[in-house]
Amino acid sequence: MTSPSAGTGGSTSPTAGRVPAPGETLVRVTRTGGFAGRTHTLVVKGDGSWTQLDGEARPKGTGKLSEAGLTGLRTALREADFARLPRIATGGPTIYDGYSYVFVHDGHEVSRDQGSLPASLTKVLDALPPFTGGQDAP
């Protein structure tokens, strides 16, 4: 994790830009809330394989991103520049029954409510497989 002041200086992660090994986690995103108030987590490994986890961290689905999907996700993650994002952002509009997200990538953890998601993190979400349901993935 980074300190709350991370993103304000010029420091970068010691692993920044390193491509994770196939079995290492590329990104982990937890989504909480919505109408039902449920928690779901996606873990995407360096080889594009992914696992959906329920609120008790039990596996609920698996799949693998296509090469194009994995490339798109890596591009979105790189462009999001996690090292420079504030760890927690506030100030967006309240979206009742909206989602809260926690992104973990390259040693950085970033939390956002749906109303305060910058376009760069929306692109990351768009490149991810589904949080629930079938094995459709980009």
Side-chain angles (χ1 to χ4, degrees):
M1 276 197 223
T2 60
S3 69
S5 63
T8 58
S11 65
T12 59
S13 167
T15 59
R18 184 183 70 80
V19 176
E24 290 182 312
T25 299
L26 174 62
V27 65
R28 178 184 185 103
V29 182
T30 299
R31 181 182 78 177
T32 304
F35 180 72
R38 297 207 173 136
T39 297
H40 299 279
T41 299
L42 275 170
V43 179
V44 181
K45 301 290 186 180
D47 65 354
S49 61
W50 52 266
T51 303
Q52 299 165 331
L53 305 172
D54 67 11
E56 285 78 43
R58 293 181 302 226
K60 289 297 184 182
T62 61
K64 189 165 183 177
L65 293 170
S66 66
E67 283 300 317
L70 181 57
T71 298
L73 177 58
R74 286 183 190 278
T75 299
L77 290 166
R78 185 178 60 254
E79 290 175 356
D81 197 5
F82 279 74
R84 298 198 185 278
L85 289 173
R87 185 162 179 251
I88 298 172
T90 59
T94 299
I95 299 177
Y96 296 99
D97 296 326
Y99 292 110
S100 293
Y101 297 92
V102 177
F103 299 81
V104 179
H105 170 66
D106 197 26
H108 301 280
E109 182 176 305
V110 175
S111 300
R112 296 289 185 278
D113 287 333
Q114 189 173 347
S116 63
L117 278 171
S120 62
L121 290 179
T122 299
K123 287 179 183 179
V124 171
L125 289 175
D126 290 345
L128 290 171
F131 280 91
T132 61
Q135 295 192 14
D136 296 331

